[in-house]
Amino acid sequence: MLEDKEDILLHYSVGVFNSIFGTSVGNSAGIKSSPLVTGRLMVTFGDPENEEYSIVHRFNGLSRRTGFSVAVSGSYEVENDLFESSDAFSVDFLLNWKNLNLSGEVGLRYRDGERVMDSQINRMFTTSAQVYAASVSYNLHLTKGHMLEPSISYMHFSGADTKVGIEDALAVNASAGMNSYVDVGVSYHIKPGKLKIDLHYISQSGDRVESNPGDSINDFFFQSGLAIRRGDYI
């Protein structure tokens, strides 16, 4: 929903979903289930990101938007077959100033769970993780309405880094260890906003810290269901 007051725009949204990702069969909410509740509140100064309501948040203003947006988001889910509770919180911003596009985000995630130790004692725990991301690009206008957009992005994920902490995270299907990447590329916009060609080089790094060899603890060590390093790619 949108609320407008001169050049300040308030955008808020709420969602309720049936989360089934953690069950063993994939097509049922499980014996224990609860809805996943999400929400986002965004304030925009200057031009809006979209002229009408949209769940898509476009990074590139295509040199048409002069505006700044800042938002807070959150999600919460109580007990299901996988964990006792799970919640996430993030703050993000987007600046489109003529040909410049700049965005950033900080996210936190917490998940409570319980597992049986080798000593047959139940362990109650909370696993947490943080993610930081930033992107910047610049629009270079060519002839015939075409546009070239060089860009660079950075992301860093940090989760549990001890052996026990990693085992806790894996027990509730959460990522652990460290993972980061740098994405450098260029986009050729044939029809800006409708058709473009991307060419990017992504350099990745990961640290399994105290996890067991072969454990797929985050995206760097996981690809197509195999515990392998993804490495750099174009």
Side-chain angles (χ1 to χ4, degrees):
M1 187 172 292
L2 305 175
E3 296 289 344
D4 195 3
K5 185 178 181 181
E6 298 180 352
D7 58 349
I8 300 177
L9 182 72
L10 179 65
H11 177 175
Y12 51 95
S13 57
V14 177
V16 180
F17 305 91
N18 178 25
S19 178
I20 63 173
F21 73 93
T23 62
S24 59
V25 294
N27 60 1
S28 169
I31 297 175
K32 298 179 182 178
S33 64
S34 61
L36 170 65
V37 180
T38 66
R40 188 171 191 264
L41 176 65
M42 178 176 70
V43 180
T44 294
F45 303 90
D47 296 337
E49 292 186 13
N50 300 285
E51 294 299 330
E52 56 187 24
Y53 176 78
S54 174
I55 61 174
V56 178
H57 301 279
R58 184 167 53 191
F59 166 69
N60 193 328
L62 302 176
S63 303
R64 303 167 188 164
R65 178 183 186 242
T66 300
F68 175 77
S69 302
V70 60
V72 293
S73 305
S75 68
Y76 182 70
E77 183 175 5
V78 294
E79 186 178 12
N80 61 22
D81 285 347
L82 182 63
F83 48 72
E84 300 298 320
S85 67
S86 180
D87 54 272
F89 175 79
S90 69
V91 177
D92 66 88
F93 75 89
L94 173 62
L95 172 67
N96 300 118
W97 190 266
K98 298 181 179 179
N99 295 333
L100 177 67
N101 308 289
L102 176 65
S103 72
E105 181 174 6
V106 176
L108 305 174
R109 187 264 298 145
Y110 301 93
R111 189 164 290 177
D112 297 329
E114 180 180 3
R115 64 187 179 94
V116 180
M117 306 293 288
D118 293 338
S119 58
Q120 301 303 309
I121 297 177
N122 284 9
R123 170 179 167 79
M124 305 291 294
F125 62 86
T126 298
T127 182
S128 62
Q130 306 82 40
V131 63
Y132 312 93
S135 298
V136 61
S137 75
Y138 194 83
N139 301 330
L140 301 172
H141 295 275
L142 309 175
T143 59
K144 298 182 180 181
H146 295 185
M147 188 175 75
L148 203 62
E149 180 195 4
S151 64
I152 182 170
S153 301
Y154 174 76
M155 186 282 300
H156 178 75
F157 167 84
S158 177
D161 57 3
T162 65
K163 182 176 177 59
V164 173
I166 293 170
E167 291 174 349
D168 289 343
L170 296 179
V172 292
N173 199 27
S175 297
M178 287 181 284
N179 178 31
S180 62
Y181 72 75
V182 176
D183 180 334
V184 179
V186 61
S187 298
Y188 178 50
H189 296 255
I190 301 172
K191 292 184 178 181
K194 296 182 179 180
L195 179 63
K196 68 176 180 175
I197 299 174
D198 295 326
L199 179 61
H200 288 252
Y201 176 77
I202 301 175
S203 176
Q204 293 198 107
S205 62
D207 189 348
R208 62 171 62 258
V209 287
E210 297 183 12
S211 65
N212 297 319
D215 282 348
S216 300
I217 61 173
N218 59 52
D219 286 346
F220 183 72
F221 300 98
F222 180 82
Q223 182 173 339
S224 301
L226 302 176
I228 62 176
R229 297 185 179 185
R230 298 184 66 179
D232 302 348
Y233 58 92
I234 296 178

